[in-house]
Amino acid sequence: MNHKSSSQLTDKREDRKYIRILNMASREFDLPRNLNGIIENAVKNNWEREALSDFEGVNYSYADVAEAIEKIHILFDAAEVKKGDKVALCGKNSSDWMIIYLSCLTYGVVAVPILHEFNSESITNLVNHSESVILFADKAIMDKLEADRLPTLKAAIYISETGIAFSRNEKLSETRSRLNEIFGEKYPESFGPSDISYYKDQPEDLALINYTSGSTGTPKGVMLPYRSIWSNIVYCIEHLTFMHPGDGMVNMLPLGHMYGMVIETLHPFLKGCHCHFLSKAPSPKVLLSAFANVRPKLIITVPLVLEKIIKGNIFPKLQTPSMKILLNLPFINNIIYGKIKEKIVAAFGGRIQEIIIGGAPLNPDVEKFLYRIKFPVTVGYGMTECGPLLTYAPSSISKPQTVGRIVDRMEVKINSKDPQNIPGDIMVKGTNVMLGYYKNPEATREVFPFGDEWMNTGDMGTMDKEGFISISGRSKTMLLGPSGQNIYPEEIEHKINSLPFVQESLVIDDGGKLTALIFPDFEEAQKQGISRERLDKLMETNISNLNKHLESFSRLKAHRLVDQEFEKTPKRSIKRFLYQK
């Protein structure tokens, strides 16, 4: 599907409207009205600063990044890659990955990030579906792909060192073999900030196609224009003002996902910050070591990281008999909570100003505890289709069980007769919203049900009188009670996950019976000498007690223990469709 022919905001009248919105923002905050203008300024203004690093590995200054971008542009020229062509990118987080992505944006080609966790068959299908002409990939991924099954490619290039895996373009092969020489011929004196001049993007130009990670089924190619990424970046620049040039950032989220790519990486890069990509799996041990070294002001993560640290290291200490007595004493409890907060801040490097949680809500007990000690944590809400921001509130004003207010240049409404109390479809429109799904007009029409600018997020929720939104669950996962009542399994799962010895859970409709699938903390149970049979009985008792606090139509009829963690997408969402019969 040609993105200019989709039903989303693509005629000349709409183009003029978005140009007007961008002009207003750029005048008020003295920011370029286009994304590549912001990138160009960031590179020029931070030329000597450290920019990108692989933790305990390679380092790039902004000058190094600029030179690497220019060399990739030379390769694009040699391969006769045109503005608007698709370039696929599939690999683990690294500085080189980010440089290639920046090269695509600044050249005007359409980046196609593909999550490296996808299998070789899926990667092949997505490269072909996107009609990519160049593929950048890690060697381990490239070795599993077959060139003859990738007919649209002019070449496949390794992400690290940009070596060529295979090429169907003689000039590209020859240029790659002489790349440093050609670069030297183009810039015989030196290469400096005055040599930087990037593609002047227009608001509706297609910037990237991001394939969703498929928590509810087959991935779809989300078409995001430059205005969407621009709007997300400008919001972060305007609202996360405690981040300054030279500050460090620990980058742990997948770059192939919009949350990690735009908010966690592109945003601090454009502020002149130093991004550090983890070279190992982000276990609590690895993360705490990175936080101690980088000392970040901002951490952007998913709930699992924070919950493991709090539930594993803090909660057990609060449950001792002596601590329970002290926490019931006025004044003493405040001193204790203050000390705990100091220790948590120190564990995150000592300079933390805010932790933003996304992807899923926090465990209620963990959230309540963090609010009690006044820890600077907040929960945001977004989706790939909005590149990704939809809502946010700084930790100073955030409310428990909410995800903040709608972000700038966006509007929201709840399709409900009583939006403050009865959940309804969350509908949004504005500058962040996608153009549609690539080659999938049917799916595009489904999320724009009224044929206008309002997009159905697929989530259900409520909005209070101050504009704070609470998410009830996905409309696609909503279950019906015996008399047609709406049951949101996520709300029940949050309560189950707070029970003893529960790591995670999934609520399904099993032949008309509301059933909880539970992955227990077998390791902790073993430490306490609890057998599987006894653990099962404990779960039965705890769920029976939980049912007393649930509406009659949403009470659990059964439970089953599962032996393995639920299969997840790369952004750590459970693949529900695999478990719902």
Side-chain angles (χ1 to χ4, degrees), residues 317-330 332-333 336:
K317 296 175 183 177
L318 299 180
Q319 298 304 316
T320 63
S322 59
M323 186 62 75
K324 286 182 177 179
I325 293 171
L326 291 173
L327 289 176
N328 282 321
L329 298 176
I332 298 294
N333 58 3
I336 293 172

Side-chain angles (χ1 to χ4, degrees), residues 76 79-88 104 107-112 130-134 152 154 206-209 226 438:
F76 286 161
E80 298 181 329
V81 175
K82 303 184 296 296
K83 306 295 186 289
D85 279 349
K86 318 299 189 306
V87 172
C104 292
Y107 191 84
V109 298
V110 179
V112 183
S130 65
E131 302 171 292
S132 292
V133 297
I134 302 285
T152 66
K154 295 184 177 186
L206 183 60
L208 65 90
I209 299 172
Y226 277 86
Y438 188 60

Side-chain angles (χ1 to χ4, degrees), residues 312-449:
N313 299 327
I314 305 298
F315 279 3
K317 296 175 183 177
L318 299 180
Q319 298 304 316
T320 63
S322 59
M323 186 62 75
K324 286 182 177 179
I325 293 171
L326 291 173
L327 289 176
N328 282 321
L329 298 176
F331 305 112
I332 298 294
N333 58 3
N334 288 334
I335 294 172
I336 293 172
Y337 283 129
K339 294 293 184 183
I340 292 172
K341 179 182 176 181
E342 288 177 11
K343 287 186 177 181
I344 298 175
V345 168
F348 287 112
R351 300 178 69 214
I352 193 70
Q353 297 289 305
E354 187 158 278
I355 294 182
I356 302 176
I357 301 294
L362 266 173
N363 174 284
D365 287 344
V366 172
E367 184 179 53
K368 182 179 178 181
F369 169 74
L370 292 172
Y371 271 91
R372 174 64 183 82
I373 66 172
K374 299 180 181 178
F375 190 77
V377 65
T378 187
V379 177
Y381 164 57
M383 59 191 304
T384 303
E385 287 83 348
C386 289
L389 287 184
L390 281 171
T391 67
Y392 166 80
S395 57
S396 58
I397 65 168
S398 62
K399 297 180 179 182
Q401 306 297 302
T402 72
V403 293
R405 297 179 174 124
I406 194 71
V407 298
D408 299 344
R409 295 171 294 280
M410 291 290 290
E411 297 178 50
V412 63
K413 66 180 179 181
I414 308 294
N415 270 357
S416 166
K417 60 183 180 182
D418 183 4
Q420 290 189 35
N421 300 297
I422 300 176
D425 291 321
I426 300 174
M427 309 287 293
V428 297
K429 73 173 181 177
T431 313
N432 295 17
V433 176
M434 69 171 180
L435 296 166
Y437 295 113
Y438 188 60
K439 294 182 181 177
N440 199 336
E442 182 179 342
T444 300
R445 284 192 295 271
E446 186 178 334
V447 296
F448 292 90

Side-chain angles (χ1 to χ4, degrees), residues 57-316:
V58 66
N59 293 288
Y60 288 91
S61 68
Y62 279 83
D64 296 332
V65 170
E67 181 175 327
I69 288 173
E70 179 58 26
K71 288 179 178 178
I72 292 172
H73 286 181
I74 290 172
L75 293 179
F76 286 161
D77 287 339
E80 298 181 329
V81 175
K82 303 184 296 296
K83 306 295 186 289
D85 279 349
K86 318 299 189 306
V87 172
L89 180 52
C90 184
K92 293 182 178 180
N93 282 15
S94 69
S95 300
D96 291 324
W97 193 108
M98 191 60 192
I99 287 170
I100 294 165
Y101 172 62
L102 288 165
S103 301
C104 292
L105 289 176
T106 54
Y107 191 84
V109 298
V110 179
V112 183
I114 298 173
L115 293 163
H116 75 274
E117 290 91 345
F118 285 163
N119 59 40
S120 57
E121 184 68 20
S122 296
I123 293 169
T124 297
N125 291 339
L126 296 181
V127 170
N128 290 334
H129 183 267
S130 65
E131 302 171 292
S132 292
V133 297
I134 302 285
L135 167 64
F136 289 91
D138 289 343
K139 187 177 187 306
I141 293 169
M142 201 79 80
D143 288 349
K144 296 177 183 178
L145 304 179
E146 300 173 33
D148 58 0
R149 295 190 62 202
L150 299 164
T152 66
L153 291 183
K154 295 184 177 186
I157 303 173
Y158 297 123
I159 289 176
S160 179
E161 303 299 329
T162 59
I164 292 180
F166 72 82
S167 173
R168 299 182 175 116
N169 184 292
E170 187 176 333
K171 185 178 180 182
L172 173 63
S173 301
E174 192 268 338
T175 298
R176 176 62 191 91
S177 68
R178 299 178 51 244
L179 186 56
N180 289 334
E181 180 185 346
I182 292 169
F183 180 83
E185 291 171 354
K186 187 172 182 179
Y187 302 99
E189 300 298 326
S190 64
F191 179 74
S194 61
D195 295 304
I196 304 296
S197 180
Y198 295 144
Y199 170 69
K200 302 299 186 290
D201 54 282
Q202 298 300 308
E204 295 301 309
D205 287 350
L206 183 60
L208 65 90
I209 299 172
N210 193 239
Y211 285 90
T212 59
S213 50
S215 60
T216 56
T218 306
K220 298 188 287 289
V222 176
M223 297 190 295
L224 289 170
Y226 277 86
R227 62 166 160 79
S228 175
I229 304 172
W230 177 92
S231 182
N232 275 270
I233 292 299
V234 170
Y235 184 85
C236 291
I237 290 173
E238 294 168 2
H239 292 273
L240 302 177
T241 55
F242 53 84
M243 294 281 286
H244 301 119
D247 285 342
M249 188 82 184
V250 175
N251 301 74
M252 66 187 90
L253 300 176
L255 279 170
H257 188 263
M258 295 306 298
Y259 192 27
M261 179 202 304
V262 175
I263 310 305
E264 188 189 43
T265 306
L266 186 57
H267 144 239
F269 174 84
L270 296 182
K271 284 182 172 175
C273 299
H274 184 185
C275 297
H276 299 76
F277 300 102
L278 297 179
S279 54
K280 300 176 182 177
S283 66
K285 183 178 179 180
V286 169
L287 285 172
L288 292 175
S289 173
F291 295 147
N293 280 277
V294 177
R295 303 187 68 218
K297 290 181 180 176
L298 173 67
I299 293 172
I300 299 176
T301 186
V302 292
L304 188 63
V305 172
L306 200 55
E307 289 172 4
K308 278 192 173 181
I309 293 170
I310 302 299
K311 292 174 75 174
N313 299 327
I314 305 298
F315 279 3

Side-chain angles (χ1 to χ4, degrees), residues 32-45:
R33 71 184 69 176
N34 63 327
L35 178 63
N36 282 328
I38 299 177
I39 296 174
E40 192 171 309
N41 284 355
V43 172
K44 290 178 177 179
N45 295 338

